[in-house]
Amino acid sequence: MKNLILLICIIVFTGCSGEKTDEVLLQLDKEKLKENINYDKIVFYKFAKIAVRSNAVLDTNMVEYQKFSSQTRNILKTMDQLDTNKKSISVMEALRLYNDYRKVKKLVKNTDEDVFPSLVQGFNIMYGAPKVDMNTVDPKEKTRVQNIEHAILSMAVLTTRDLGQPFALYECSKTQPELLDDSEIKTLLEFVRGFLFFGNNLYYLSEDGLSRNIKWLDKNETIPMPYTKAFFGWRNLSDAQAHTAFHGMNYLFRGFDRMRMERKVDEERSLEDFDSFVKDMNKLGLETELVWLVDAYLNLKREKPEKAIPALEKLKTSPLFSDSEREAIQKTIDYVKDREPDAALKGVYDKAFMARLASKYMISVLAKINWEKVMRENNVPHTKEIFANINKFKEMSNAVSQYTQPSTIENGKKEITKKGSELLDKAKSLW
C-alpha cells in the first residue's frame, strides 16, 4: 500500500511539473523492479533460500525464525534427500513443498532474506557446523558477505537454463555494489545489473548503475580482470586491454538505455555514448556484431548512409541472427541504397530492433560461460556447494511451479490415485 501511495505521488508530481526529472524517472523504475521480481517462481526461490538461511539461526526465539520454522522443514528434508540419494522429487513431495509455500507466500514477499545468516552459513549447518549466534555477528561484515553472496549467485544463475535472467535480476536487486570492496567483482556485478535492468526495460536504473561504473573504471585502470575476460571471451587480451574493452561495453549499454528513453536530451546523450564505445573498440581493433550494429546506426543518424553499408553487410552475414533478422538488415541496406535512410531508422533498423540485437548478442556471450569452472579456477570459496545447491533450488522450483496451475493439480491427483488409497489419504490435506 505504501509503495502504491508513493507511486501515485510521483505520477501526480510529474504531471504537475512538466518533463520528468532523472530522479523521478529513477524512482519509477525502482517501483517497477519490485513488480518484476514478484511472481511465484521467484518468490518460491526466495522461500527456499530463507529455509536454508533461517536454519542457521541459534536463537529459535528470533521472531523471523518463528514465522518460518514449521514451514521450512520439508524443504530442508527434500534438499537432504537430493544430496544423499540423488532422487527426483515425487508428486507428494512437490505438493508438500507447494502447500508449505502457499501458507507463507505473503510473508515471504514481505520478509528480507538478509535478516538471517548467510546462505553459505546455512549450507554449513546442513553439513554439521554449529549454528550462528546473531548477537556475535559484526553487522558490517554481514553486509559485506551477503553482498558478495548475492553477487556470486547473480552470476551463477544467469546462464542456468531453468533459472536464468529473472533469478539473476532478483539477486542483483538484493546487491548494493557501493558497499562492496573495490574489486573486479564489484564492477562486473554493476555491469550485469545494468544489462539485466536494460533487458527488463528499467532504463533509468540501468543508466544509473552504468554511469557509476564508468566513473569507477576511470579511477581504477590497473585492476586484474580474470572474470571479465572469461565473461566476454577476452582471454587473449591483457588486463589493460580488457579494461578498455569493458569500459566501452559500459558506454554501449548506457547508450542503449538512453536511446530507449523518451526525452530528446537522452537521445543526444546516447550518440555520445555510442561514439565512446566505438572509439574504445577501435583502439583495440575489436570487431564484433555490436561494433557493426552501432557503427551503422551512427552513420545513419549523422546522415552518412553510404558509410553505414559496410557495417550492415558484415552484420548480415553473422550466424548469430535469424533469417528474419538478416532480412531486416538487408531491407535497411536497400533503403540506404535507395537514398531513404530515414525510412530505415523509422521502420526496419529502429531502436527496438537495435536493442533486440544487442540483447541477443549479450545472451549468446553469457551462454558460453561456465561460471562454476571460472569461480573454481579463481578460488572462490564454497563454489562446489553453491552450485550443488543452486541445482537443488532449480529442481524444487521446477517441481513446485507446475502445481500453481489447476490443470496440473488435477493431473497430480490422478497420479496419486493410481498409487492407492493410502497415499490419497495423506494428500487430501494438501488441496
Side-chain angles (χ1 to χ4, degrees):
M1 185 65 183
K2 219 191 295 183
N3 291 337
L4 181 60
I5 293 169
L6 178 60
L7 194 56
I8 290 169
C9 290
I10 291 169
I11 291 167
V12 170
F13 170 75
T14 55
C16 297
S17 59
E19 192 172 77
K20 297 169 187 170
T21 64
D22 289 342
E23 292 75 18
V24 168
L25 291 164
L26 182 60
Q27 189 58 47
L28 285 167
D29 263 10
K30 287 177 181 177
E31 296 306 316
K32 282 190 225 167
L33 173 60
K34 290 174 187 174
E35 294 304 312
N36 281 10
I37 55 175
N38 191 22
Y39 64 94
D40 267 315
K41 222 170 177 185
I42 297 286
V43 180
F44 178 82
Y45 170 77
K46 181 180 174 183
F47 174 48
K49 289 183 70 184
I50 285 173
V52 175
R53 295 181 72 169
S54 64
N55 187 51
V57 173
L58 178 64
D59 180 11
T60 55
N61 291 317
M62 179 182 174
V63 175
E64 289 84 358
Y65 173 87
Q66 296 231 325
K67 287 176 181 176
F68 290 101
S69 59
S70 61
Q71 270 73 46
T72 57
R73 291 173 193 147
N74 284 324
I75 276 193
L76 296 171
K77 182 181 175 184
T78 301
M79 289 185 75
D80 183 57
Q81 288 173 342
L82 288 171
D83 201 30
T84 53
N85 54 28
K86 312 296 182 189
K87 283 198 319 182
S88 59
I89 295 171
S90 70
V91 174
M92 275 298 301
E93 287 167 328
L95 286 168
R96 272 197 206 99
L97 293 176
Y98 176 63
N99 190 48
D100 289 338
Y101 163 67
R102 189 176 56 184
K103 289 176 182 174
V104 291
K105 177 178 174 180
K106 187 174 180 181
L107 190 59
V108 172
K109 286 184 177 183
N110 296 323
T111 299
D112 181 0
E113 64 168 275
D114 288 332
V115 299
F116 299 111
S118 73
L119 191 62
V120 166
Q121 285 174 316
F123 293 152
N124 288 342
I125 272 65
M126 291 171 71
Y127 300 126
K131 299 215 172 191
V132 178
D133 183 352
M134 298 295 286
N135 294 319
T136 65
V137 175
D138 176 7
K140 188 175 179 182
E141 177 62 10
K142 183 177 185 298
T143 298
R144 187 187 73 83
V145 167
Q146 67 199 23
N147 259 284
I148 291 173
E149 210 167 73
H150 287 304
I152 289 173
L153 282 168
S154 69
M155 303 287 189
V157 302
L158 189 57
T159 54
T160 306
R161 184 174 296 170
D162 297 295
L163 298 179
Q165 289 191 58
F167 294 82
L169 182 65
Y170 167 73
E171 292 293 353
C172 280
S173 77
K174 295 294 296 172
T175 57
Q176 298 168 286
E178 66 275 11
L179 299 180
L180 290 174
D181 295 335
D182 281 353
S183 64
E184 186 198 13
I185 283 287
K186 174 178 180 171
T187 188
L188 190 54
L189 173 64
E190 192 78 85
F191 176 80
V192 170
R193 276 168 50 105
F195 171 67
L196 289 169
F197 290 153
F198 165 74
N200 285 273
N201 304 326
L202 301 168
Y203 305 124
Y204 301 94
L205 266 176
S206 177
E207 182 203 37
D208 183 59
L210 293 173
S211 294
R212 254 195 322 272
N213 220 23
I214 290 166
K215 287 178 185 175
W216 190 90
L217 286 164
D218 286 339
K219 292 177 183 175
N220 295 271
E221 296 184 356
T222 58
I223 58 167
M225 306 197 82
Y227 294 115
T228 307
K229 291 179 190 178
F231 190 96
F232 289 101
W234 294 336
R235 295 184 186 277
N236 294 328
L237 299 186
S238 67
D239 283 335
Q241 288 172 322
H243 183 283
T244 299
F246 185 53
H247 186 257
M249 292 299 291
N250 279 269
Y251 270 115
L252 173 69
F253 276 93
R254 191 175 71 173
F256 280 125
D257 286 323
R258 290 171 167 175
M259 182 186 74
R260 299 291 281 148
M261 293 173 182
E262 295 176 6
R263 299 175 305 180
K264 184 68 179 172
V265 65
D266 294 316
E267 184 173 5
E268 290 165 1
R269 290 173 181 170
S270 76
L271 298 178
E272 293 170 8
D273 282 344
F274 288 150
D275 265 335
S276 296
F277 163 70
V278 171
K279 283 174 186 172
D280 277 341
M281 293 301 156
N282 286 344
K283 280 180 199 172
L284 301 170
L286 286 180
E287 284 205 46
T288 66
E289 285 86 350
L290 290 178
V291 176
W292 303 329
L293 185 72
V294 171
D295 183 46
Y297 180 73
L298 285 172
N299 281 308
L300 288 172
K301 288 293 288 183
R302 287 170 176 165
E303 300 180 352
K304 299 175 183 175
E306 67 287 346
K307 291 188 176 181
I309 291 176
L312 289 168
E313 292 284 4
K314 290 176 188 174
L315 201 61
K316 188 182 70 173
T317 62
S318 170
L320 176 65
F321 304 127
S322 68
D323 288 343
S324 62
E325 287 162 342
R326 282 193 285 273
E327 282 175 21
I329 295 166
Q330 181 59 54
K331 280 185 184 176
T332 305
I333 294 170
D334 294 340
Y335 273 126
V336 171
K337 287 180 176 176
D338 291 340
R339 301 182 183 278
E340 296 181 78
D342 285 348
L345 284 169
K346 289 174 184 174
V348 184
Y349 203 76
D350 63 4
K351 296 176 181 180
F353 183 74
M354 288 266 294
R356 189 167 70 250
L357 293 193
S359 294
K360 193 167 187 175
Y361 175 86
M362 276 306 305
I363 290 166
S364 76
V365 167
L366 297 176
K368 297 173 185 173
I369 302 168
N370 183 338
W371 276 112
E372 184 172 4
K373 182 181 177 186
V374 171
M375 290 177 186
R376 254 196 339 261
E377 288 173 350
N378 288 278
N379 302 312
V380 174
H382 304 288
T383 294
K384 183 180 177 183
E385 291 83 356
I386 287 170
F387 277 87
N389 285 286
I390 283 174
N391 288 331
K392 292 177 193 176
F393 289 154
K394 178 177 70 175
E395 191 162 345
M396 288 190 296
S397 178
N398 286 342
V400 169
S401 66
Q402 57 185 316
Y403 293 102
T404 60
Q405 302 298 323
S407 60
T408 320
I409 292 175
E410 287 304 314
N411 290 337
K413 287 182 184 179
K414 289 174 187 174
E415 188 171 334
I416 289 172
T417 303
K418 289 177 188 175
K419 297 179 186 289
S421 59
E422 184 183 342
L423 275 178
L424 188 59
D425 288 340
K426 288 180 183 176
K428 280 179 182 175
S429 63
L430 300 181
W431 291 297

